[in-house]
Amino acid sequence: MAPPWLQSPASNAIDGNRNPNFIDGSCSHTKYGPDHWWSLVLPHEYNFTHINITNRIDQAWRINNAEILIGNSLENNGNNNPRCTVIPSIPSGATSTFNCGGMTGRVVNVRLYSTDSYVFLTMCELEAYAEIVPLWPSFNAVVMGRRVAVVEKKLCWSDALFYCRDFYGDLLSIRSEDEQREVEKVLSSVSFPLTKHVWLGLRRSLMSDTWFWMSGATENYFHWEKMSSWKISPCGAMDSSHAFHWRDLPCEEHLHFICLRDNQQDENKVYFFSTLHP
């Protein structure tokens, strides 16, 4: 079996190991040839802020003058995408940061072109910092220090939950009267026509009349139109105007919805599964 340092696949550059010692086998390395490139293809489009690259200790010059490319094109192995920057050099064994100014795409390439067939491209780690680009536009605001998004797409309750969790944090929970009033102001300012109701992260236990927040937030505040056991649907929404009351609605109704953009971790978060969205 070949020693680790001879096994230098592209995946070594995203293994979470910044070890810059090439002989330890955690760096990527191209073969002989004039055109060298390393490519990362992501499942979704992202808005990139910066890229960190860790260089090897020995022969550190092998990264010199490589380009960082970001975009959506897979043509020419992703090498036709716009350029973020040129890497002049990275100190031996060091990690350098390259700002990409909010460039968007799902393909990140590092390319080194040379007419010298004995040139190589080596990286020990690449870290991309970005936020996923949502599929649909939204009206963004801040509620009591929390970033929220009113999404301009009508979905059923479960699809709204999955969308918020895939692209943001969660369906919104409202934890106090102050937050309720702030959300009312946001809904009154939305720049597109809203459905009569909007989905929240409210869910009722199927075995009782207990309502809870999918985010795990404690439900100490209520704004139901009326509290009673007559509610028949387990999915909760709020009026998008007037009194902004909460109410249960058929889960299959397609409504606009409010996402919490911040990905807050809560040990009481309720997980939801579907055969269509495992």
Side-chain angles (χ1 to χ4, degrees):
M1 183 176 179
W5 57 273
L6 285 179
Q7 302 174 40
S8 306
S11 58
N12 280 2
I14 52 170
D15 63 359
N17 187 353
R18 283 187 175 186
N19 184 352
N21 194 342
F22 181 77
I23 202 169
D24 288 341
S26 185
C27 300
S28 66
H29 193 294
T30 59
K31 298 179 180 179
Y32 288 108
D35 195 7
H36 302 266
W37 51 270
W38 178 96
S39 187
L40 173 66
V41 180
L42 299 165
H44 300 288
E45 185 177 8
Y46 284 79
N47 188 340
F48 292 86
T49 57
H50 61 282
I51 305 287
N52 286 352
I53 295 180
T54 301
N55 199 10
R56 61 189 288 176
I57 290 178
D58 61 317
Q59 303 183 67
W61 50 267
R62 286 186 169 172
I63 193 75
N64 292 3
N65 300 314
E67 299 177 298
I68 299 176
L69 312 172
I70 296 176
N72 289 306
S73 174
L74 294 174
E75 292 183 8
N76 190 23
N77 299 308
N79 289 319
N80 291 346
N81 282 311
R83 184 170 68 190
C84 163
T85 191
V86 175
I87 304 169
S89 64
I90 299 176
S92 172
T95 300
S96 292
T97 298
F98 302 94
N99 295 315
C100 293
M103 294 182 68
T104 60
R106 56 184 293 262
V107 182
V108 179
N109 272 30
V110 178
R111 185 189 190 191
L112 178 63
Y113 184 80
S114 173
T115 57
D116 186 347
S117 61
Y118 289 95
V119 168
F120 301 92
L121 173 63
T122 305
M123 292 189 301
C124 293
E125 194 68 15
L126 182 143
E127 303 159 36
Y129 293 83
E131 289 187 346
I132 194 168
V133 176
L135 294 177
W136 299 300
S138 63
F139 180 86
N140 299 325
V142 176
V143 171
M144 304 292 291
R146 299 194 300 168
R147 299 183 303 157
V148 302
V150 184
V151 181
E152 193 177 352
K153 177 68 177 180
K154 302 171 189 175
L155 295 176
C156 67
W157 184 90
S158 59
D159 285 348
L161 175 72
F162 289 135
Y163 182 86
C164 289
R165 291 186 170 181
D166 285 346
F167 293 96
Y168 294 109
D170 216 324
L171 264 175
L172 183 67
S173 57
I174 300 177
R175 305 166 300 179
S176 69
E177 183 175 358
D178 287 340
E179 286 190 352
Q180 170 74 24
R181 300 298 170 240
E182 289 293 312
V183 172
E184 292 174 7
K185 291 178 183 177
V186 170
L187 293 178
S188 298
S189 303
V190 169
S191 56
F192 53 88
L194 285 170
T195 48
K196 187 176 180 181
H197 314 286
V198 293
W199 289 126
L200 297 175
L202 269 175
R203 186 78 180 184
R204 179 178 58 80
S205 172
L206 297 179
M207 303 302 293
S208 69
D209 291 326
T210 302
W211 286 83
F212 55 87
W213 294 110
M214 295 296 292
S215 65
T218 303
E219 194 193 22
N220 292 325
Y221 171 75
F222 306 93
H223 195 63
W224 297 101
E225 184 175 22
K226 56 182 178 179
M227 285 297 295
S228 67
S229 59
W230 58 266
K231 298 180 179 64
I232 58 174
S233 172
C235 297
M238 73 180 292
D239 299 343
S240 61
S241 62
H242 304 302
F244 298 95
H245 284 130
W246 304 355
R247 61 184 69 246
D248 69 320
L249 292 171
C251 299
E252 64 274 13
E253 278 200 30
H254 281 61
L255 307 175
H256 292 122
F257 53 97
I258 312 174
C259 296
L260 175 65
R261 297 178 61 196
D262 303 314
N263 194 3
Q264 299 178 338
Q265 298 300 321
D266 192 310
E267 61 181 10
N268 296 316
K269 178 178 179 178
V270 181
Y271 290 91
F272 191 84
F273 301 95
S274 165
T275 55
L276 299 178
H277 195 293

